[in-house]
Amino acid sequence: MFNCLKKTNTEEFTNFKKIKNIVGSADSKVKLYVIETLIREIISRRNYDEVINTLLTKDSLHYEHEYANEKIVLLYEELLKRKFIDTTKITTERKEININRYALLLNPWNRTSIEGDIPRFKKERFNYTLKPLYEINLENYYVYPMNFVNCEGGNHSQYSALNSCGGQTFTRGFYDFSNLYEYYSFSEQGFITNNGQLVVFDDLFKQYVEDAGILFYLGKELIKNGYVDFLYKI
């Protein structure tokens, strides 16, 4: 995933600059709401991009962008590994949540499933208990402190639910990436180590670096502004 480390980079992540300005100029009374809204919008765009990519190409399991959105979490895992820190993925008792409780990052990889789901939009409320397969297949993990849920199973049923009448789902545990802030920051040039080196990623991951960095920054801002999640008190 990492091909080298460099001191400088000519590319600028202009979207990050805009997000940083929005957060920086937000009134303290609404800042947490602004941050949470930005997280939701970024995740929604990633979901939309993945769906369109699959519909216009072919199943991502047989294409280069296999489980592409999950690369955001994989980036965080690799950043920890570079500091010889084990990924903190903790399984907990199942926690039921409304499917709209958090921004839900999806990887809808199967074109046939997506096409089949579209005609059902706005008609059904998701109920994972109706089919044993739903419950077995669902693998949702809360990502702290970025405050979104990563879907690692049940992508298509939950994609349909988000576009329909909602419903209940559940998480099986969480990732704790708070250790990253001790070793990295994110700038207009990308992820920077604490000794000033720029982390450069392989080409397959480059299109996810800015969104991963923005979510990384927003997670830090949530902590800074006293955000507390009452489902996962990490």
Side-chain angles (χ1 to χ4, degrees):
M1 184 180 294
F2 298 90
N3 51 35
C4 58
L5 287 173
K6 294 183 180 179
K7 286 284 186 180
T8 60
N9 181 20
T10 57
E11 180 182 7
E12 274 203 354
F13 292 121
T14 56
N15 288 335
F16 170 67
K17 292 174 69 174
K18 294 173 184 175
I19 293 291
K20 192 174 180 181
N21 287 337
I22 291 170
V23 174
S25 62
D27 186 274
S28 59
K29 294 179 181 178
V30 298
K31 185 162 286 193
L32 280 176
Y33 174 77
V34 169
I35 296 168
E36 289 183 88
T37 299
L38 289 171
I39 291 170
R40 286 185 177 275
E41 293 303 320
I42 291 164
I43 297 297
S44 293
R45 179 170 58 81
R46 284 253 58 98
N47 291 341
Y48 172 82
D49 287 349
E50 181 70 357
V51 167
I52 294 301
N53 203 17
T54 300
L55 286 174
L56 298 184
T57 55
K58 53 185 174 180
D59 294 359
S60 62
L61 284 179
H62 308 290
Y63 200 63
E64 284 185 345
H65 67 286
E66 177 179 350
Y67 284 88
N69 280 339
E70 201 169 34
K71 287 186 174 70
I72 288 176
V73 173
L74 294 178
L75 287 177
Y76 299 148
E77 290 183 323
E78 287 296 325
L79 287 170
L80 283 178
K81 287 177 184 176
R82 286 194 65 82
K83 297 300 179 182
F84 306 101
I85 301 172
D86 291 335
T87 300
T88 308
K89 182 179 182 180
I90 298 173
T91 301
T92 65
E93 74 278 5
R94 194 171 75 183
K95 296 178 183 282
E96 290 202 15
I97 55 172
N98 185 286
I99 202 161
N100 295 303
R101 170 66 178 80
Y102 299 99
L104 179 60
L105 183 65
L106 297 168
N107 298 286
W109 58 268
N110 186 291
R111 183 167 63 184
T112 301
S113 295
I114 294 172
E115 290 174 348
D117 284 339
I118 290 173
R120 293 164 33 202
F121 287 174
K122 307 303 181 187
K123 294 180 180 179
E124 298 178 9
R125 186 172 178 82
F126 181 60
N127 184 348
Y128 66 83
T129 64
L130 293 178
K131 294 183 180 180
L133 178 61
Y134 284 167
E135 189 162 357
I136 294 170
N137 193 39
L138 279 177
E139 292 283 343
N140 294 324
Y141 289 86
Y142 179 67
V143 180
Y144 176 83
M146 296 77 178
N147 200 41
F148 67 88
V149 168
N150 189 49
C151 175
E152 300 173 18
N155 288 284
H156 301 94
S157 55
Q158 293 186 108
Y159 163 68
S160 180
L162 286 176
N163 287 282
S164 300
C165 300
Q168 292 295 112
T169 188
F170 59 86
T171 59
R172 294 185 184 271
F174 64 92
Y175 291 92
D176 183 357
F177 291 119
S178 58
N179 282 344
L180 286 175
Y181 299 107
E182 184 178 347
Y183 303 100
Y184 300 96
S185 59
F186 191 77
S187 73
E188 289 83 354
Q189 280 70 48
F191 282 96
I192 307 292
T193 64
N194 52 6
N195 61 354
Q197 290 185 314
L198 177 69
V199 182
V200 180
F201 297 88
D202 290 340
D203 288 346
L204 284 176
F205 293 86
K206 279 187 175 179
Q207 63 173 305
Y208 303 98
V209 173
E210 184 170 27
D211 281 347
I214 290 172
L215 292 167
F216 174 83
Y217 161 75
L218 292 173
K220 186 174 183 178
E221 286 296 308
L222 285 177
I223 294 173
K224 180 179 172 183
N225 287 277
Y227 177 81
V228 177
D229 182 82
F230 292 100
L231 182 63
Y232 281 102
K233 297 180 181 178
I234 300 171

